[in-house]
Amino acid sequence: MTDGCKTKGFQCLETFRRIFSNYWIRLRRMIKLLIWIGIFFGGWIGWWIGEKLGFEFFGAFIISNVGSIAGVFIGWKIAQEL
């Protein structure tokens, strides 16, 4: 395989880039998906907690934002473990 790379020049490098480019594209998509899932469920749980604590709309909205931020972090951490 080394001889083929020497004779083909940059073709081996292009093959290497293509393989790892596809890998990184799929990995970035998975990270984005897990972050969006974390935002959704974190916000939903935050809103639910705000309602259970008796906050009005604005209080539940603020707690929902905190839950969404926590969901981003949790989704990102889960994506790193995969």
Side-chain angles (χ1 to χ4, degrees), residues 67-79:
S68 294
I69 292 169
V72 167
F73 181 73
I74 291 169
W76 179 62
K77 282 300 207 181
I78 290 172

Side-chain angles (χ1 to χ4, degrees), residues 1 10-21:
M1 182 165 173
F10 286 106
Q11 289 179 350
C12 288
L13 182 60
E14 289 301 319
T15 303
F16 180 78
R17 283 182 184 166
R18 186 173 52 240
I19 290 169
F20 281 98
S21 174

Side-chain angles (χ1 to χ4, degrees), residues 32-77:
K32 289 177 185 178
L33 175 66
L34 289 172
I35 287 174
W36 275 106
I37 290 171
I39 289 171
F40 176 77
F41 283 110
W44 179 70
I45 291 170
W47 190 276
W48 181 76
I49 289 173
E51 287 290 320
K52 290 295 181 184
L53 292 175
F55 289 111
E56 297 293 324
F57 175 80
F58 189 70
F61 178 74
I62 296 297
I63 295 174
S64 174
N65 286 330
V66 172
S68 294
I69 292 169
V72 167
F73 181 73
I74 291 169
W76 179 62
K77 282 300 207 181

Side-chain angles (χ1 to χ4, degrees), residues 1-13:
M1 182 165 173
T2 306
D3 293 333
C5 284
K6 286 181 182 177
T7 58
K8 293 181 182 179
F10 286 106
Q11 289 179 350
C12 288
L13 182 60

